[in-house]
Amino acid sequence: MDEYDYILKILLIGSSGVGKSSILSSYVEQSFDEQTIQTIGVDFKLITREYRNQKFKLQIWDTAGHERFRTITNSYYRGTDAVILVFDLTRENTFEEVEYWLKEITENAADNIIIHLVGNKNDLPKKVKKESIAKLVLNSQIPYIETSAKNNFNLDILFDDIIEQLYRTKITEGDYLPHHADSHKISLLGKSVSNKKRLNRVCC
């Protein structure tokens, strides 16, 4: 039997080529491939993290950003606890499409789902203006962080924030039941927090 206390479903979304698959591989497997193949439909990986002496199994779903696959991935919003919306800091068009993805979240996910905005490829020269990002973050009121899947920069902080956020807003309020062999998963939904504590990594 799997040894974990809580299971969280996290969805990676964003336009094609922004680095969603690379973020997933870098975070879960500590590996980066320059020649990552475009995701077709969806893929997912599992990793267990520890927080406050409890084990959290993260089920992280990587979705295809290409337009022809978007209708396939819409159903995966159901039961999702948090969404990571990724754009490419080197491609302005992927940032412009963030509004589209926010609309998709509004139409398909629970009203109070956790959303984190991620500007990926922080290791490369940036094309998206800081002012534009700041304006969007201010208007949307969602947390923002810059990452590099290649260098594994800020990925732990990103996922640690999500776990701590869910813990503070739901588990401590008793709205989420611990995992047991005879119990069902209850979705976690909450609000944003800014604390950036590191959590212990437990592989797979």
Side-chain angles (χ1 to χ4, degrees):
M1 183 177 72
D2 288 339
E3 295 184 359
Y4 59 90
D5 298 297
Y6 304 98
I7 183 168
L8 312 177
K9 180 180 177 181
I10 301 172
L11 199 63
L12 281 163
I13 66 170
S15 301
S16 180
V18 297
K20 300 185 297 295
S21 298
S22 295
I23 287 174
L24 184 58
S25 294
S26 185
Y27 177 66
V28 176
E29 301 173 345
Q30 300 290 292
S31 66
F32 177 81
D33 185 357
E34 295 275 5
Q35 306 300 321
T36 300
I37 300 173
Q38 185 183 77
T39 302
I40 299 176
V42 293
D43 187 18
F44 79 94
K45 297 183 186 296
L46 298 170
I47 187 171
T48 303
R49 303 299 298 272
E50 289 186 359
Y51 179 62
R52 300 204 176 195
N53 297 318
Q54 298 183 80
K55 290 185 177 180
F56 293 78
K57 174 158 285 196
L58 307 186
Q59 186 184 76
I60 309 171
W61 291 81
D62 171 26
T63 65
H66 197 282
E67 188 173 352
R68 70 178 182 273
F69 297 123
R70 289 178 184 175
T71 56
I72 299 174
T73 60
N74 284 353
S75 62
Y76 287 89
Y77 286 97
R78 284 197 297 271
T80 297
D81 301 308
V83 172
I84 299 174
L85 173 51
V86 186
F87 69 92
D88 183 344
L89 287 162
T90 72
R91 294 162 54 207
E92 291 181 332
N93 66 302
T94 66
F95 176 73
E96 292 167 356
E97 291 170 353
V98 166
E99 293 286 358
Y100 163 82
W101 291 106
L102 287 173
K103 182 180 178 183
E104 282 283 293
I105 295 170
T106 300
E107 293 177 352
N108 294 283
D111 291 341
N112 58 346
I113 194 167
I114 290 173
I115 307 171
H116 281 246
L117 180 65
V118 171
N120 192 39
K121 305 187 183 180
N122 176 268
D123 55 294
L124 299 175
K126 302 173 186 177
K127 297 291 181 63
V128 182
K129 296 179 180 179
K130 290 182 179 179
E131 295 79 8
S132 299
I133 298 172
K135 182 178 180 181
L136 175 64
V137 170
L138 181 63
N139 290 338
S140 61
Q141 292 293 297
I142 57 177
Y144 171 69
I145 192 171
E146 293 187 359
T147 63
S148 168
K150 183 176 182 178
N151 298 331
N152 203 346
F153 176 69
N154 272 347
L155 297 185
D156 279 347
I157 290 176
L158 168 63
F159 286 94
D160 289 356
D161 271 1
I162 292 172
I163 295 172
E164 183 170 13
Q165 184 174 340
L166 291 168
Y167 182 90
R168 287 188 175 190
T169 58
K170 280 293 177 179
I171 294 173
T172 55
E173 296 173 2
D175 293 336
Y176 185 85
L177 296 178
H179 165 78
H180 297 291
D182 59 349
S183 65
H184 298 287
K185 174 181 177 297
I186 297 178
S187 293
L188 298 184
L189 302 171
K191 302 176 182 178
S192 65
V193 296
S194 59
N195 198 310
K196 304 234 176 346
K197 292 182 180 177
R198 293 273 179 162
L199 309 185
N200 296 323
R201 177 187 295 273
V202 180
C203 180
C204 307

